[in-house]
Amino acid sequence: MQVAVILRNETAGEGLAALQIKIKAEAGAVVKLSMVQVLDNGFTCLSDIGTICADGASFELTKLELGSGKLYAGAAADLIGKGSNFTARIGYLGQGEQRLDMNYVARHRGKKTTCEMDSTGVLAGKAFKLFRGSIDLLPGGSGAKGQEQENVLLLGDGVVNQTIPLILCGEEDVEGNHGATIGRLDEKMLFYLASRGIPEEAARSLLARARIEAVVDLLPEALAEEAHKFMEAHTDEL
């Protein structure tokens, strides 16, 4: 099953948008969920995803967070079946005074389960971002493997970035890895683009969008169009 979700407001304004999705993936099922959030800055967004995966089941999540002044989002995957899998590809853009709070958890309960959580984001202005990624290797989940990686591009001195990876281990025959790459724009790259006639502001926007495009390329066409429309209207602020 493939599911596509666009979270947006049809008319300008402010308010609360709350969405909860629960998925029960039976043995051998493959569920692919793609989501794009492009709410106005006046909105607070609550987004919660939960899944239980049986033997050989797989849940693949691709999620792009672009709008909303305050975002509280996350997903929890219970990998209870042997050989079940959870894959998450998360992209986010924080600008102005946006606040992004994200929490993703994979609980390895079954044998030989796997998870991979990758997040890519750009922070500019006075944006605040907290990303928690937890891999919980529980007793009984022998042979489990978990991988987590985050890449963050910081634009400006006013941003606040908090990256909190966590690996919990209650079983001996398991493998867990995490890493993070956090940095600013390469001055050599900016100089190179300037030498080709691209102004610094345009270069910053171009490089920032390139980070987000890595996630956009994984989305269905309709969602990718929505993401491009939003970025065309907002990335000039970077």
Side-chain angles (χ1 to χ4, degrees), residues 210-238:
R211 292 289 187 101
I212 304 298
E213 287 290 345
V215 179
V216 174
D217 288 343
L218 302 175
L219 296 169
E221 184 177 353
L223 271 65
E225 289 179 0
E226 195 76 22
H228 284 140
K229 186 189 304 182
F230 183 92
M231 289 192 291
E232 286 291 342
H234 293 85
T235 49
D236 289 341
E237 301 171 12
L238 296 175

mmCIF file of all heavy atoms in Angstrom, residues 210-238:
data_model
loop_
_atom_site.group_PDB
_atom_site.id
_atom_site.type_symbol
_atom_site.label_atom_id
_atom_site.label_comp_id
_atom_site.label_asym_id
_atom_site.label_seq_id
_atom_site.Cartn_x
_atom_site.Cartn_y
_atom_site.Cartn_z
ATOM 1 N N ALA A 210 19.125 22.591 -2.276
ATOM 2 C CA ALA A 210 19.707 21.326 -2.717
ATOM 3 C C ALA A 210 19.620 20.275 -1.621
ATOM 4 O O ALA A 210 19.394 19.087 -1.905
ATOM 5 C CB ALA A 210 21.160 21.533 -3.137
ATOM 6 N N ARG A 211 19.767 20.700 -0.362
ATOM 7 C CA ARG A 211 19.625 19.766 0.762
ATOM 8 C C ARG A 211 18.209 19.200 0.822
ATOM 9 O O ARG A 211 18.003 18.000 1.010
ATOM 10 C CB ARG A 211 19.949 20.479 2.082
ATOM 11 C CG ARG A 211 21.403 20.883 2.270
ATOM 12 C CD ARG A 211 22.278 19.670 2.508
ATOM 13 N NE ARG A 211 23.636 20.038 2.840
ATOM 14 C CZ ARG A 211 24.118 20.046 4.085
ATOM 15 N NH1 ARG A 211 23.341 19.727 5.109
ATOM 16 N NH2 ARG A 211 25.380 20.370 4.305
ATOM 17 N N ILE A 212 17.235 20.078 0.687
ATOM 18 C CA ILE A 212 15.837 19.655 0.782
ATOM 19 C C ILE A 212 15.442 18.808 -0.427
ATOM 20 O O ILE A 212 14.648 17.868 -0.317
ATOM 21 C CB ILE A 212 14.909 20.882 0.900
ATOM 22 C CG1 ILE A 212 15.324 21.757 2.096
ATOM 23 C CG2 ILE A 212 13.472 20.437 1.036
ATOM 24 C CD1 ILE A 212 15.231 21.051 3.430
ATOM 25 N N GLU A 213 15.999 19.131 -1.588
ATOM 26 C CA GLU A 213 15.652 18.398 -2.810
ATOM 27 C C GLU A 213 15.996 16.915 -2.696
ATOM 28 O O GLU A 213 15.366 16.072 -3.350
ATOM 29 C CB GLU A 213 16.388 18.997 -4.013
ATOM 30 C CG GLU A 213 15.851 20.342 -4.478
ATOM 31 C CD GLU A 213 14.478 20.230 -5.132
ATOM 32 O OE1 GLU A 213 14.068 19.096 -5.479
ATOM 33 O OE2 GLU A 213 13.823 21.261 -5.295
ATOM 34 N N ALA A 214 16.979 16.573 -1.871
ATOM 35 C CA ALA A 214 17.344 15.169 -1.693
ATOM 36 C C ALA A 214 16.165 14.363 -1.157
ATOM 37 O O ALA A 214 16.006 13.177 -1.475
ATOM 38 C CB ALA A 214 18.542 15.052 -0.758
ATOM 39 N N VAL A 215 15.314 15.007 -0.341
ATOM 40 C CA VAL A 215 14.121 14.344 0.188
ATOM 41 C C VAL A 215 12.960 14.489 -0.792
ATOM 42 O O VAL A 215 12.184 13.548 -0.993
ATOM 43 C CB VAL A 215 13.738 14.917 1.568
ATOM 44 C CG1 VAL A 215 12.475 14.245 2.099
ATOM 45 C CG2 VAL A 215 14.881 14.736 2.552
ATOM 46 N N VAL A 216 12.839 15.657 -1.428
ATOM 47 C CA VAL A 216 11.765 15.887 -2.399
ATOM 48 C C VAL A 216 11.801 14.842 -3.510
ATOM 49 O O VAL A 216 10.757 14.359 -3.973
ATOM 50 C CB VAL A 216 11.862 17.303 -3.003
ATOM 51 C CG1 VAL A 216 10.828 17.489 -4.116
ATOM 52 C CG2 VAL A 216 11.668 18.354 -1.925
ATOM 53 N N ASP A 217 12.999 14.458 -3.925
ATOM 54 C CA ASP A 217 13.146 13.482 -5.007
ATOM 55 C C ASP A 217 12.553 12.120 -4.657
ATOM 56 O O ASP A 217 12.289 11.305 -5.549
ATOM 57 C CB ASP A 217 14.622 13.307 -5.366
ATOM 58 C CG ASP A 217 15.200 14.515 -6.095
ATOM 59 O OD1 ASP A 217 14.406 15.336 -6.594
ATOM 60 O OD2 ASP A 217 16.430 14.653 -6.152
ATOM 61 N N LEU A 218 12.340 11.861 -3.362
ATOM 62 C CA LEU A 218 11.786 10.577 -2.933
ATOM 63 C C LEU A 218 10.259 10.594 -2.868
ATOM 64 O O LEU A 218 9.641 9.549 -2.648
ATOM 65 C CB LEU A 218 12.343 10.213 -1.547
ATOM 66 C CG LEU A 218 13.867 10.112 -1.425
ATOM 67 C CD1 LEU A 218 14.246 9.868 0.032
ATOM 68 C CD2 LEU A 218 14.417 9.006 -2.313
ATOM 69 N N LEU A 219 9.653 11.775 -3.057
ATOM 70 C CA LEU A 219 8.209 11.925 -2.911
ATOM 71 C C LEU A 219 7.464 11.645 -4.215
ATOM 72 O O LEU A 219 8.014 11.822 -5.304
ATOM 73 C CB LEU A 219 7.883 13.353 -2.459
ATOM 74 C CG LEU A 219 8.389 13.780 -1.085
ATOM 75 C CD1 LEU A 219 8.208 15.291 -0.912
ATOM 76 C CD2 LEU A 219 7.664 13.029 0.024
ATOM 77 N N PRO A 220 6.196 11.240 -4.117
ATOM 78 C CA PRO A 220 5.346 11.136 -5.316
ATOM 79 C C PRO A 220 5.224 12.497 -5.997
ATOM 80 O O PRO A 220 5.427 13.542 -5.353
ATOM 81 C CB PRO A 220 3.993 10.671 -4.759
ATOM 82 C CG PRO A 220 4.307 10.047 -3.443
ATOM 83 C CD PRO A 220 5.491 10.799 -2.899
ATOM 84 N N GLU A 221 4.872 12.505 -7.264
ATOM 85 C CA GLU A 221 4.865 13.732 -8.066
ATOM 86 C C GLU A 221 4.002 14.833 -7.461
ATOM 87 O O GLU A 221 4.421 15.993 -7.393
ATOM 88 C CB GLU A 221 4.392 13.419 -9.481
ATOM 89 C CG GLU A 221 4.442 14.618 -10.410
ATOM 90 C CD GLU A 221 4.036 14.275 -11.834
ATOM 91 O OE1 GLU A 221 3.837 13.074 -12.123
ATOM 92 O OE2 GLU A 221 3.918 15.202 -12.657
ATOM 93 N N ALA A 222 2.792 14.499 -7.016
ATOM 94 C CA ALA A 222 1.886 15.521 -6.486
ATOM 95 C C ALA A 222 2.472 16.195 -5.241
ATOM 96 O O ALA A 222 2.356 17.412 -5.067
ATOM 97 C CB ALA A 222 0.529 14.903 -6.159
ATOM 98 N N LEU A 223 3.105 15.420 -4.385
ATOM 99 C CA LEU A 223 3.702 15.977 -3.170
ATOM 100 C C LEU A 223 4.949 16.786 -3.498
ATOM 101 O O LEU A 223 5.214 17.826 -2.892
ATOM 102 C CB LEU A 223 4.033 14.869 -2.170
ATOM 103 C CG LEU A 223 2.908 14.495 -1.187
ATOM 104 C CD1 LEU A 223 1.723 13.904 -1.938
ATOM 105 C CD2 LEU A 223 3.421 13.529 -0.125
ATOM 106 N N ALA A 224 5.721 16.315 -4.464
ATOM 107 C CA ALA A 224 6.916 17.050 -4.880
ATOM 108 C C ALA A 224 6.542 18.416 -5.446
ATOM 109 O O ALA A 224 7.218 19.424 -5.170
ATOM 110 C CB ALA A 224 7.699 16.241 -5.913
ATOM 111 N N GLU A 225 5.452 18.475 -6.201
ATOM 112 C CA GLU A 225 4.992 19.756 -6.754
ATOM 113 C C GLU A 225 4.594 20.711 -5.631
ATOM 114 O O GLU A 225 4.870 21.914 -5.690
ATOM 115 C CB GLU A 225 3.813 19.519 -7.691
ATOM 116 C CG GLU A 225 4.191 18.838 -8.995
ATOM 117 C CD GLU A 225 2.988 18.595 -9.878
ATOM 118 O OE1 GLU A 225 1.861 18.957 -9.462
ATOM 119 O OE2 GLU A 225 3.169 18.054 -10.996
ATOM 120 N N GLU A 226 3.922 20.190 -4.610
ATOM 121 C CA GLU A 226 3.518 21.018 -3.471
ATOM 122 C C GLU A 226 4.738 21.567 -2.737
ATOM 123 O O GLU A 226 4.778 22.731 -2.342
ATOM 124 C CB GLU A 226 2.668 20.180 -2.508
ATOM 125 C CG GLU A 226 1.906 20.989 -1.481
ATOM 126 C CD GLU A 226 0.686 21.682 -2.073
ATOM 127 O OE1 GLU A 226 0.183 21.231 -3.122
ATOM 128 O OE2 GLU A 226 0.244 22.683 -1.473
ATOM 129 N N ALA A 227 5.765 20.726 -2.577
ATOM 130 C CA ALA A 227 6.998 21.152 -1.911
ATOM 131 C C ALA A 227 7.719 22.224 -2.720
ATOM 132 O O ALA A 227 8.189 23.231 -2.175
ATOM 133 C CB ALA A 227 7.912 19.945 -1.681
ATOM 134 N N HIS A 228 7.782 22.040 -4.028
ATOM 135 C CA HIS A 228 8.454 23.017 -4.889
ATOM 136 C C HIS A 228 7.721 24.358 -4.862
ATOM 137 O O HIS A 228 8.355 25.426 -4.815
ATOM 138 C CB HIS A 228 8.522 22.491 -6.328
ATOM 139 C CG HIS A 228 9.557 21.445 -6.529
ATOM 140 N ND1 HIS A 228 9.355 20.332 -7.313
ATOM 141 C CD2 HIS A 228 10.815 21.319 -6.036
ATOM 142 C CE1 HIS A 228 10.441 19.584 -7.312
ATOM 143 N NE2 HIS A 228 11.335 20.159 -6.535
ATOM 144 N N LYS A 229 6.411 24.316 -4.871
ATOM 145 C CA LYS A 229 5.615 25.538 -4.831
ATOM 146 C C LYS A 229 5.898 26.326 -3.548
ATOM 147 O O LYS A 229 6.062 27.551 -3.564
ATOM 148 C CB LYS A 229 4.129 25.192 -4.902
ATOM 149 C CG LYS A 229 3.191 26.386 -5.015
ATOM 150 C CD LYS A 229 1.743 25.968 -4.859
ATOM 151 C CE LYS A 229 1.356 24.897 -5.853
ATOM 152 N NZ LYS A 229 -0.081 24.515 -5.720
ATOM 153 N N PHE A 230 5.964 25.605 -2.421
ATOM 154 C CA PHE A 230 6.227 26.259 -1.146
ATOM 155 C C PHE A 230 7.635 26.859 -1.122
ATOM 156 O O PHE A 230 7.825 28.004 -0.694
ATOM 157 C CB PHE A 230 6.076 25.252 -0.002
ATOM 158 C CG PHE A 230 6.263 25.855 1.366
ATOM 159 C CD1 PHE A 230 5.173 26.333 2.081
ATOM 160 C CD2 PHE A 230 7.517 25.942 1.942
ATOM 161 C CE1 PHE A 230 5.323 26.883 3.335
ATOM 162 C CE2 PHE A 230 7.695 26.500 3.195
ATOM 163 C CZ PHE A 230 6.591 26.974 3.894
ATOM 164 N N MET A 231 8.613 26.110 -1.575
ATOM 165 C CA MET A 231 10.004 26.592 -1.532
ATOM 166 C C MET A 231 10.218 27.773 -2.471
ATOM 167 O O MET A 231 10.990 28.677 -2.161
ATOM 168 C CB MET A 231 10.963 25.449 -1.841
ATOM 169 C CG MET A 231 11.047 24.429 -0.711
ATOM 170 S SD MET A 231 12.431 23.256 -0.898
ATOM 171 C CE MET A 231 11.869 22.327 -2.322
ATOM 172 N N GLU A 232 9.548 27.780 -3.602
ATOM 173 C CA GLU A 232 9.663 28.917 -4.514
ATOM 174 C C GLU A 232 9.194 30.193 -3.845
ATOM 175 O O GLU A 232 9.715 31.286 -4.080
ATOM 176 C CB GLU A 232 8.820 28.660 -5.777
ATOM 177 C CG GLU A 232 9.419 27.651 -6.741
ATOM 178 C CD GLU A 232 10.665 28.166 -7.427
ATOM 179 O OE1 GLU A 232 10.883 29.399 -7.427
ATOM 180 O OE2 GLU A 232 11.438 27.349 -7.942
ATOM 181 N N ALA A 233 8.197 30.065 -2.976
ATOM 182 C CA ALA A 233 7.618 31.243 -2.315
ATOM 183 C C ALA A 233 8.346 31.639 -1.043
ATOM 184 O O ALA A 233 8.198 32.770 -0.591
ATOM 185 C CB ALA A 233 6.146 30.968 -1.990
ATOM 186 N N HIS A 234 9.161 30.738 -0.473
ATOM 187 C CA HIS A 234 9.715 31.015 0.851
ATOM 188 C C HIS A 234 11.237 30.952 0.979
ATOM 189 O O HIS A 234 11.785 31.541 1.902
ATOM 190 C CB HIS A 234 9.128 30.036 1.875
ATOM 191 C CG HIS A 234 7.657 30.232 2.109
ATOM 192 N ND1 HIS A 234 6.718 29.644 1.274
ATOM 193 C CD2 HIS A 234 6.977 30.912 3.048
ATOM 194 C CE1 HIS A 234 5.515 29.980 1.715
ATOM 195 N NE2 HIS A 234 5.645 30.730 2.768
ATOM 196 N N THR A 235 11.937 30.276 0.103
ATOM 197 C CA THR A 235 13.379 30.117 0.303
ATOM 198 C C THR A 235 14.172 31.388 -0.005
ATOM 199 O O THR A 235 15.369 31.445 0.296
ATOM 200 C CB THR A 235 13.948 28.953 -0.523
ATOM 201 O OG1 THR A 235 13.495 29.067 -1.883
ATOM 202 C CG2 THR A 235 13.519 27.628 0.039
ATOM 203 N N ASP A 236 13.552 32.391 -0.590
ATOM 204 C CA ASP A 236 14.260 33.673 -0.780
ATOM 205 C C ASP A 236 14.593 34.321 0.558
ATOM 206 O O ASP A 236 15.446 35.212 0.637
ATOM 207 C CB ASP A 236 13.425 34.639 -1.625
ATOM 208 C CG ASP A 236 13.354 34.213 -3.085
ATOM 209 O OD1 ASP A 236 14.213 33.417 -3.502
ATOM 210 O OD2 ASP A 236 12.460 34.687 -3.799
ATOM 211 N N GLU A 237 13.926 33.869 1.626
ATOM 212 C CA GLU A 237 14.158 34.446 2.935
ATOM 213 C C GLU A 237 15.425 33.932 3.582
ATOM 214 O O GLU A 237 15.886 34.442 4.590
ATOM 215 C CB GLU A 237 12.966 34.111 3.860
ATOM 216 C CG GLU A 237 11.633 34.617 3.336
ATOM 217 C CD GLU A 237 10.462 34.095 4.146
ATOM 218 O OE1 GLU A 237 10.711 33.534 5.237
ATOM 219 O OE2 GLU A 237 9.310 34.228 3.703
ATOM 220 N N LEU A 238 16.036 32.883 3.026
ATOM 221 C CA LEU A 238 17.230 32.280 3.623
ATOM 222 C C LEU A 238 18.423 33.221 3.543
ATOM 223 O O LEU A 238 18.575 33.966 2.613
ATOM 224 C CB LEU A 238 17.543 30.960 2.910
ATOM 225 C CG LEU A 238 16.494 29.860 3.041
ATOM 226 C CD1 LEU A 238 16.891 28.665 2.186
ATOM 227 C CD2 LEU A 238 16.346 29.433 4.499
#
